[in-house]
Amino acid sequence: MSDYINKLPTSVADLEEDAHILHDYEGAVSRWCHGCGDNAILTALQKLCAEEQLPPEKTVFASGIGCASRLPHYMGTYGFHGLHGRALPVAEGIKIKRPDLHVFVNTGDGDCCSIGAAHWLHAVRYNMNMTVMLHDNRIYGLTKNQVSPTSPKGLVTSTTPRGATLQPLNAVAATLGMSNVSFVAQAADWVPGILYDILHLAFLHRGLSFVSILQRCPHYLPGHFDEYIKNPERTLLLTHPNGLQPDEASARRFKSREEHDPADLSRAQALAVMDDKLALGILYRNESIPCYEDMYRREQHLPIEDKIAALEREFDRFTVKPEL
Ligand code: SF4
């Protein structure tokens, strides 16, 4: 965050002619509730775009349906507000045809982990180069207070008046168990410096970066994350020279820290299911997994003779030979 502030031009004369400022990434005025954690995520993303000088005309935010999915409207970039649960296939379609674009995905816990769960699984497997943010507020907000897959057991909602009966789905642990997973991180909207740094590292990763962001919904679940917000010792900050290096304020606030190597998948899986603490940081990163769009483009650029030979081989498999 401080790097970003240091790099900001101090006067109009300092601006290069084609440099982008924060204002370039501002879209419509947000209609989220006052105090909604989505606002912090939006702010971090606008700062990230400005820091990386992403051309707005080459940047796309794709989303599904839900409070979180309104985010593309509030960015001054391209956006695609899709169908419920379909944020990821929309983003994959964009990326496969336009790999030069910077693709971001904003999806909620209902959108991603319920109706969109199959797309989530396969998007991780395809490992296309995009930054995926799960805004996990543990409730359906837009449709007014129904239980979501990540709602804790016992939560009283309009669809579970006697309390949720099932154990919640742990989205971070689930993603860490998926084939071809290449980047998993956990952030919280109420720790904006760490949220920003995590999103920045996620953006720089080549492959699908999955960032689960615990997001406050003060309208339907006021005080839901207070156990962590009021007790910083309940947060475990994951630091590493190849991962997160917290700013001074965060380092002062969060004394409980662990040097965690993001290459260590089994420790990442243990950290994801810890009961007593909330792990924030980069849990896992594997830079050796190929991106599907690169493989796809390699095939597209095969010489014509090779394409014909491959087709002939395929036809031969189905040739019915006359009986002699
Ligand atoms: Fe945010 Fe909850 Fe309001 Fe939706 S209902 S905008 S998640 S506070």
Side-chain angles (χ1 to χ4, degrees):
M1 182 93 80
S2 55
D3 274 2
Y4 168 74
I5 289 166
N6 291 338
K7 282 187 203 161
L8 278 177
T10 50
S11 75
V12 175
D14 291 341
L15 278 173
E16 286 179 26
E17 209 175 301
D18 55 352
H20 293 292
I21 56 172
L22 263 183
H23 180 66
D24 294 338
Y25 302 101
E26 288 169 7
V29 175
S30 127
R31 287 170 55 190
W32 290 316
C33 305
H34 181 69
C36 174
D38 285 332
N39 291 294
I41 300 170
L42 175 67
T43 303
L45 287 169
Q46 288 169 337
K47 284 181 174 169
L48 173 65
C49 290
E51 162 124 7
E52 288 293 328
Q53 286 291 296
L54 303 187
E57 72 280 8
K58 291 214 156 205
T59 305
V60 192
F61 284 78
S63 66
I65 294 293
C67 291
S69 294
R70 294 198 56 78
L71 193 136
H73 294 275
Y74 309 145
M75 294 293 302
T77 62
Y78 279 99
F80 196 119
H81 190 173
L83 296 174
H84 199 202
R86 305 320 187 232
L88 285 161
V90 166
E92 289 167 308
I94 295 167
K95 194 70 192 175
I96 201 81
K97 283 296 163 198
R98 291 292 306 274
D100 57 313
L101 300 184
H102 302 289
V103 178
F104 295 83
V105 177
N106 297 92
T107 176
D109 39 305
D111 195 54
C112 176
C113 308
S114 186
I115 191 169
H119 297 304
W120 170 30
L121 182 79
H122 290 290
V124 170
R125 190 167 70 93
Y126 275 60
N127 191 41
M128 297 177 81
N129 188 23
M130 58 180 73
T131 307
V132 178
M133 288 151 277
L134 170 66
H135 301 223
D136 187 1
N137 60 6
R138 300 182 173 171
I139 194 81
Y140 281 79
L142 191 74
T143 49
K144 305 196 186 316
N145 200 31
Q146 293 87 10
V147 71
S148 101
T150 63
S151 297
K153 192 172 178 190
L155 188 74
V156 174
T157 70
S158 58
T159 43
T160 54
R162 295 192 195 95
T165 45
L166 295 175
Q167 285 295 339
L169 189 153
N170 182 328
V172 171
T175 311
L176 285 166
M178 291 178 188
S179 302
N180 265 357
V181 60
S182 77
F183 185 106
V184 180
Q186 182 156 254
D189 79 67
W190 58 90
V191 194
I194 298 293
L195 168 66
Y196 178 79
D197 290 344
I198 289 175
L199 287 178
H200 199 180
L201 288 165
F203 170 76
L204 296 176
H205 172 72
R206 181 150 172 78
L208 187 143
S209 322
F210 182 85
V211 183
S212 171
I213 307 170
L214 297 180
Q215 178 240 312
R216 287 167 294 173
C217 172
H219 191 77
Y220 289 115
L221 293 181
H224 184 73
F225 293 110
D226 276 1
E227 59 177 312
Y228 301 116
I229 297 169
K230 293 184 176 166
N231 304 300
E233 66 280 2
R234 295 279 317 274
T235 294
L236 179 68
L237 218 50
L238 306 178
T239 63
H240 195 266
N242 291 330
L244 190 68
Q245 292 163 44
D247 55 276
E248 249 177 62
S250 302
R252 262 199 314 275
R253 184 169 166 203
F254 301 109
K255 302 270 189 280
S256 179
R257 298 200 283 273
E258 175 174 322
E259 180 140 319
H260 166 63
D261 182 353
D264 186 346
L265 179 59
S266 51
R267 181 60 190 152
Q269 286 167 329
L271 288 164
V273 296
M274 262 187 327
D275 274 339
D276 54 331
K277 292 207 175 186
L278 170 68
L280 296 185
I282 313 301
L283 284 108
Y284 184 63
R285 180 172 54 208
N286 181 344
E287 283 158 338
S288 69
I289 309 231
C291 293
Y292 181 74
E293 67 268 32
D294 296 340
M295 295 190 268
Y296 173 84
R297 292 202 102 64
R298 270 199 297 277
E299 281 174 19
Q300 293 296 302
H301 290 108
L302 281 179
I304 188 73
E305 299 77 30
D306 290 3
K307 282 186 184 169
I308 292 170
L311 272 176
E312 293 292 0
R313 276 197 303 277
E314 201 59 19
F315 290 147
D316 283 349
R317 288 176 54 215
F318 299 100
T319 303
V320 180
K321 304 248 169 32
E323 282 180 27
L324 296 174

